[in-house]
Amino acid sequence: MSGELFDEERSAEVVAASFAGTPDPRLRQVMTSLVQHLHAFVKDVELTEEEWGVAIDFLTRTGQLSDEVRQEFILLSDVLGVSMLVETINHRTGGTSTESTVLGPFHMVESPVRDLGADIALDGKGTPCLVSGRVTGPDGEPLPGAAVDVWQTNEDGFYDVQQPGVQPAGNLRGMFTADEQGRFWFRSVVPRWYPIPDDGPVGQLLAATGRHPNRPAHLHFIVAAPGHRPVTTHVFVADSPYLDSDAVFGVKESLVRPVHEVDDPARAAEVGLPNPFCTLTFDLSLLRAGQEPPATNPGGRSR
């Protein structure tokens, strides 16, 4: 026999050696590291057979609950902070552009194309809000024609795809094109906090560990422009509950913005909203496509 036989002390080395002939060097690196860390974890907690059986059952049920509308594995990745870590590593900014955050499990349909100034709140629920901003390059130059994809929950804390037949299709979603100055604006409602789906295995995990399932109030954005790196991000409402305990760890300080109330009948009539109404401003900056961000953010962490 040419290979080393399995034993407890060198289990990781024995298994990792089985990947030595993997043709793809990146796959070989990933699998070797995975085995090393997984075996170290099992040894560290001295995992019992019963506990491993529970884990297998948990993962099985997580897969069984996933479908074209609900992705429980993404939810699991989110609540363990893995989604945010992968997103942050792959979209470092060094403080030079808008920071990214998780895509989330509900960007599963194309947002309807809408004109600037359109109202995306089709169900009539919530506090009217004018959302506006500007898309620029890293030096503050406007990016005319930038694509601004937005989506959010309704006043009850659900996305349209979660409530087919209850919410209008495309409710609180929109694809906008920035004007010649890189500006965008649309009518919506003030975002509110909401719980992630917690009626499945991930919710059971949160309950068992004493964690809540809530996310602070936010709007989702994907912004792209020719010749620039797109960004997937959120804007968070400054006074929202759960900013410091987001169930999916998505909050970054640079993405928090205040919502202001405006009591001005003339301005309300101008923007097509009842008086008073609220405003939320979120400017975004994109890196150039060939502009590589630093290996790490200043201080080795996100701002």
Side-chain angles (χ1 to χ4, degrees), residues 92-109:
R92 294 176 176 123
T93 69
T96 61
S97 64
T98 300
E99 291 192 283
S100 64
T101 188
V102 291
L103 175 66
F106 295 110
H107 187 262
M108 55 187 59
V109 295

Side-chain angles (χ1 to χ4, degrees), residues 125-299:
K125 295 182 176 182
T127 302
C129 184
L130 178 67
V131 181
S132 62
R134 191 164 178 255
V135 184
T136 64
D139 297 321
E141 68 277 19
L143 298 181
V148 180
D149 187 0
V150 298
W151 69 103
Q152 68 179 89
T153 65
N154 71 351
E155 175 69 8
D156 298 325
F158 294 98
Y159 293 92
D160 59 340
V161 293
Q162 293 177 283
Q163 294 184 310
V166 176
Q167 291 191 45
N171 189 37
L172 292 164
R173 295 180 188 268
M175 174 67 79
F176 297 92
T177 300
D179 71 7
E180 289 302 310
Q181 284 76 49
R183 299 174 301 181
F184 65 88
W185 63 94
F186 57 91
R187 290 169 289 163
S188 185
V189 294
V190 176
R192 56 149 285 177
W193 65 270
Y194 66 89
I196 62 174
D198 62 350
D199 58 343
V202 172
Q204 293 168 3
L205 175 63
L206 292 178
T209 54
R211 288 176 54 187
H212 68 72
N214 299 313
R215 299 215 63 204
H218 62 272
L219 280 84
H220 293 261
F221 280 79
I222 298 178
V223 178
H228 292 76
R229 294 163 60 100
V231 64
T232 298
T233 192
H234 299 8
V235 59
F236 294 92
V237 175
D239 61 354
S240 174
Y242 309 111
L243 280 174
D244 60 352
S245 61
D246 182 3
V248 307
F249 307 97
V251 180
K252 293 179 178 178
E253 186 179 353
S254 67
L255 304 178
V256 179
R257 297 289 187 278
V259 169
H260 298 290
E261 184 177 275
V262 177
D263 187 357
D264 183 341
R267 177 61 175 156
E270 180 185 354
V271 299
L273 289 173
N275 190 65
F277 64 98
C278 291
T279 61
L280 174 60
T281 302
F282 186 46
D283 295 330
L284 298 104
S285 174
L286 306 184
L287 291 171
R288 295 186 186 90
Q291 180 181 354
E292 288 300 321
T296 60
N297 278 323

